[in-house]
Amino acid sequence: MSDSRYTPLGIYKRLLSLSVRYWPVFIGVAVSSGAFAASDAGFAFLIKQLTEIVAAGDELTEGQEFVKRWLPLGVLLLFVVRGVTNFLSTYGMGWISNRVVKEIRRQVFERYLGLPASYFDRQATGKLLSKLTYDVAQVADSASNTVIVLFKDTLTILFLVLYMLYLSAELSVFVFIVAPFIALIVRFLGTRFRKHNRRIQATVGDITRIGSEALDAHRVVKIFGGQEYEGGRFEAANEQNRRVQMRLLATSAAGNGVTVLVTAFGVAGVIYLISQIDIDVSRVAGFITAMVLLMAPLKRLTNVNATIQRGVAAGESLFRILDEEPERDQGGLDPDTIDGRVEFRSVSFSYNRSEQPVLRDINLKVEPGETIALVGRSGSGKSTLVSLLPRFYDYDSGTILLDDRPLDDYSLEGLRRHISLVSQEVTLFNDTIAANIAYGGLADAGKDDIEAAAAAAHVAEFVADMPDGLDTMVGDRGTLLSGGQRQRISIARALLKNSPVLILDEATSALDTESERHIQAALDKLMQNRTTFVIAHRLSTIESADRIVVMHAGEIVEIGRHEELLASGGAYAALHRLQFSEEGAGSA
Ligand SMILES: Nc1ncnc2c1ncn2[C@@H]1O[C@H](COP(=O)(O)OP(=O)(O)O)[C@@H](O)[C@H]1O
Ligand SMILES: [Mg+2]
């Protein structure tokens, strides 16, 4: 799929549009680059002067005497100007490009936070991370290096060519014969460079993805002897990266060789002409100096293409992220308080539109303060059902109403502010326990409230033994804590949020029966006066729910109170019987 936004030109423009606001610095860079570029032509000029003096021998005019005296100082001055302008232009351009890059990185990260859950279902996080690190670095490198080379080298070439023209139009003819060939080479290399660079990015993404997967799962790797498998996968990606890098290198080196060869034809032509025409020796000296000085920037210019294309390819990958549709957020409703009345009206949903629906014709009306327990076999759609409430996913048909308004009418923030979620997979951030409880919008919670939540969720219990108490760091993703401890922290988080709608998706699954019983008391208190959806594996914990909703294969098959459902002898009764015979066997 080709899209005009992602042509090299489109990408340059976009990068440029991010940097136009720094135009004063640009002007500084342009001026110092100009001065730097002129210094090469100036050097050729000084060589011509020197040759004139040497050729004149003792019969110097007054002007030549003057030149002779000041020439060494002139050379010195020239190099001082060169040094200073080189510093200024490099620094200035680096300054701009680092700002642009920081801005792009900020935007990409912000976009990541705003992407719908379905996007993350499809993408490996390792790949997304490598965009923030590798791709951004490529753009940075490309922007600061290439613009400098482009600026300075094109100007240097321009000045040198102008000077050559001034010295001898005849000899300069070769410049104009050679130039189109070089332009052709540069063009041809450009497309190849871009192709290779895209591949390199992809392989770096693979390396990060495989690396982060293996590191995250280090225990599984150890116990199931996955080292060889992971090593093999990594080797494949690593080798693929090396191959593409080499292809890029070969293209770049071959391009260089061809450029040098083409230039050599020009030089040979010039030398042949010099021997044929009548020309002053100092002009020849100046011309040849200029010609030699022309080589380096020309070579850099053909090569800079590699870096530019790297930046373009990386820019493309970043802009594609920025152009991803964020979560739909068109509603404006943001009430201060809600009652918590929830209604599902013939809601159907599938994760992938082309696939079988995961939820089918769900109808359920929940009054404020009611506790609804969802039960059913794993994969029956319980988690999916509750994940529609905070709009992690958009349903395909039907409506979900909160306080009699469709969820779409609320702004995402306005909606999610009133919903708390404790799920089976607890995510903690590498911070203190207190900061993990008072996370995000809860950050300005008072110390007393945090302590109260910690006490109610039985966090205080295990924190008491820790030297720093609530200020103990939890480690990367909370690895320094046990699963049950992590879960208690996430329950404390929900307690602190104190929202009118609460979702407990196997919130106590990581706790032992003893701790669960303790926390159940806290949860029961928490569930009072708020609408609660509770999914629990252990049926004993949901017997007191106002209503129990039994799901099977994406459909609601039974609704009722514990006793009613037991008495009716349907799906719930079967589940119940199964579990109690298991538990009976387990504890015997
Ligand atoms: N993020 C997802 N993308 C695609 N399919 C999913 C996703 N999450 C769950 N499913 C599928 O949806 C069905 C219901 O899953 P889920 O709601 O998690 O069940 P439960 O919570 O009842 O165990 C399952 O068949 C599962 O494979
Ligand atoms: Mg589930």
Side-chain angles (χ1 to χ4, degrees):
M1 212 169 46
S2 79
D3 187 329
S4 65
R5 277 179 302 180
Y6 305 120
T7 58
L9 195 66
I11 290 162
Y12 292 134
K13 276 195 193 149
R14 214 158 150 186
L15 283 172
L16 210 62
S17 72
L18 287 168
S19 49
V20 281
R21 73 175 92 155
Y22 306 119
W23 63 268
V25 185
F26 253 124
I27 292 180
V29 170
V31 170
S32 47
S33 300
F36 178 86
S39 69
D40 265 3
F43 186 68
F45 171 75
L46 291 183
I47 293 294
K48 176 175 173 278
Q49 299 297 312
L50 180 67
T51 321
E52 250 171 42
I53 293 166
V54 173
D58 289 341
E59 293 138 42
L60 295 180
T61 64
E62 205 169 312
Q64 286 169 331
E65 279 288 359
F66 176 83
V67 169
K68 188 177 174 182
R69 192 166 324 125
W70 294 106
L71 199 58
L73 203 65
V75 172
L76 204 64
L77 201 68
L78 194 78
F79 278 89
V80 169
V81 169
R82 226 177 131 77
V84 171
T85 52
N86 188 35
F87 172 81
L88 287 179
S89 53
T90 310
Y91 185 87
M93 204 54 230
W95 188 88
I96 294 176
S97 69
N98 278 299
R99 274 179 190 248
V100 168
V101 157
K102 183 184 158 208
E103 176 61 18
I104 296 181
R105 189 181 268 142
R106 188 190 67 75
Q107 287 184 6
V108 169
F109 186 67
E110 195 180 282
R111 178 46 47 93
Y112 278 169
L113 297 183
L115 285 172
S118 56
Y119 187 84
F120 295 98
D121 291 347
R122 281 181 279 124
Q123 299 282 334
T125 41
K127 287 229 170 203
L128 298 181
L129 284 180
S130 96
K131 286 182 202 281
L132 274 186
T133 52
Y134 181 77
D135 292 5
V136 169
Q138 298 306 308
V139 172
D141 184 46
S142 165
S144 51
N145 285 331
T146 57
V147 176
I148 270 298
V149 170
L150 279 182
F151 251 126
K152 286 202 279 206
D153 288 343
T154 30
L155 285 176
T156 304
I157 292 170
L158 185 75
F159 285 135
L160 285 173
V161 168
L162 283 178
Y163 186 56
M164 286 158 83
L165 266 175
Y166 161 77
L167 286 176
S168 163
E170 278 169 294
L171 295 182
S172 304
V173 153
F174 278 94
V175 173
F176 295 100
I177 294 178
V178 167
F181 285 103
I182 296 197
L184 272 182
I185 298 172
V186 169
R187 241 188 98 102
F188 171 74
L189 291 180
T191 48
R192 308 219 37 123
F193 282 144
R194 204 145 87 95
K195 200 178 84 189
H196 293 324
N197 279 315
R198 271 212 209 98
R199 291 217 187 117
I200 291 179
Q201 263 171 37
T203 57
V204 170
D206 286 339
I207 289 174
T208 336
R209 175 177 58 80
I210 295 167
S212 65
E213 254 172 39
L215 295 180
D216 283 348
H218 64 100
R219 282 162 196 258
V220 179
V221 171
K222 283 191 174 72
I223 200 78
F224 289 100
Q227 288 93 341
E228 207 170 306
Y229 172 70
E230 294 298 336
R233 283 203 313 161
F234 194 80
E235 167 64 22
N238 205 4
E239 169 65 14
Q240 187 61 25
N241 177 268
R242 186 196 65 82
R243 275 201 202 147
V244 202
Q245 292 278 12
M246 284 316 292
R247 245 173 260 160
L248 180 77
L249 192 87
T251 313
S252 158
N256 253 338
V258 177
T259 311
V260 169
L261 196 69
V262 172
T263 330
F265 273 107
V267 174
V270 168
I271 289 174
Y272 171 75
L273 259 193
I274 290 173
S275 62
Q276 296 300 309
I277 61 174
D278 189 24
I279 182 170
D280 174 276
V281 62
S282 66
R283 277 173 190 263
V284 170
F287 196 92
I288 293 198
T289 310
M291 200 163 65
V292 170
L293 289 177
L294 202 56
M295 301 266 210
L298 256 187
K299 213 177 94 179
R300 267 200 304 274
L301 217 54
T302 43
N303 250 344
V304 82
N305 215 347
T307 328
I308 292 181
Q309 298 305 339
R310 198 157 66 215
V312 168
E316 177 182 338
S317 122
L318 295 173
F319 288 143
R320 276 185 194 276
I321 292 286
L322 292 183
D323 296 339
E324 276 291 333
E325 281 288 318
E327 282 183 293
R328 224 160 37 77
D329 189 8
Q330 277 146 355
L333 210 54
D334 185 5
D336 282 334
T337 54
I338 59 163
D339 298 337
R341 183 175 302 103
V342 175
E343 186 179 350
F344 289 80
R345 269 192 207 156
S346 51
V347 172
S348 292
F349 171 76
S350 58
Y351 283 100
N352 196 330
R353 303 248 155 154
S354 57
E355 282 172 12
Q356 286 276 342
V358 173
L359 294 177
R360 252 174 292 198
D361 194 29
I362 300 292
N363 285 290
L364 182 65
K365 198 166 175 185
V366 185
E367 290 306 320
E370 213 184 346
T371 296
I372 297 291
L374 294 167
V375 302
R377 298 179 42 189
S378 94
S380 57
K382 307 180 295 290
S383 298
T384 306
L385 182 69
V386 293
S387 69
L388 296 183
L389 263 184
R391 285 194 46 207
F392 288 151
Y393 299 92
D394 281 327
Y395 37 90
D396 307 336
S397 63
T399 332
I400 302 177
L401 305 164
L402 177 64
D403 280 13
D404 305 314
R405 299 285 298 264
L407 293 186
D408 281 359
D409 285 2
Y410 294 84
S411 70
L412 282 178
E413 207 189 323
L415 173 69
R416 291 173 182 167
R417 214 150 44 81
H418 301 296
I419 303 175
S420 249
L421 167 70
V422 182
S423 63
Q424 195 169 11
E425 304 104 42
V426 175
T427 312
L428 295 187
F429 302 86
N430 197 351
D431 205 333
T432 62
I433 294 177
N436 269 291
I437 294 176
Y439 175 74
L442 306 171
D444 46 13
K447 198 168 180 328
D448 292 346
D449 294 337
I450 298 177
E451 276 170 4
H458 295 255
V459 169
E461 238 169 65
F462 65 84
V463 159
D465 302 335
M466 297 179 169
D468 294 329
L470 283 172
D471 295 324
T472 308
M473 297 292 290
V474 301
D476 182 34
R477 281 172 239 197
T479 35
L480 304 182
L481 301 173
S482 79
Q485 289 171 334
R486 282 199 288 266
Q487 209 158 44
R488 286 188 245 179
I489 290 178
S490 87
I491 291 170
R493 202 187 269 164
L495 283 168
L496 187 63
K497 186 164 178 184
N498 195 19
S499 59
V501 178
L502 174 69
I503 299 170
L504 302 170
D505 187 352
E506 314 219 8
T508 54
S509 59
L511 301 182
D512 53 282
T513 323
E514 177 71 22
S515 313
E516 187 176 31
R517 200 163 298 147
H518 277 304
I519 288 185
Q520 201 58 49
L523 287 179
D524 286 343
K525 213 164 89 201
L526 177 66
M527 290 189 249
Q528 276 166 21
N529 307 319
R530 68 189 87 222
T531 312
T532 307
F533 292 85
V534 51
I535 301 172
H537 178 66
R538 270 189 283 263
L539 296 181
S540 56
T541 59
I542 48 110
E543 281 171 10
S544 61
D546 294 319
R547 274 187 294 164
I548 295 169
V549 171
V550 187
M551 296 196 59
H552 181 74
E555 283 173 316
I556 295 180
V557 291
E558 277 178 3
I559 301 183
R561 293 189 57 87
H562 172 70
E563 300 81 20
E564 288 167 18
L565 291 178
L566 269 192
S568 72
Y572 179 75
L575 275 173
H576 200 263
R577 217 177 310 116
L578 196 67
Q579 198 164 87
F580 275 84
S581 65
E582 269 172 15
E583 271 176 22
S587 60

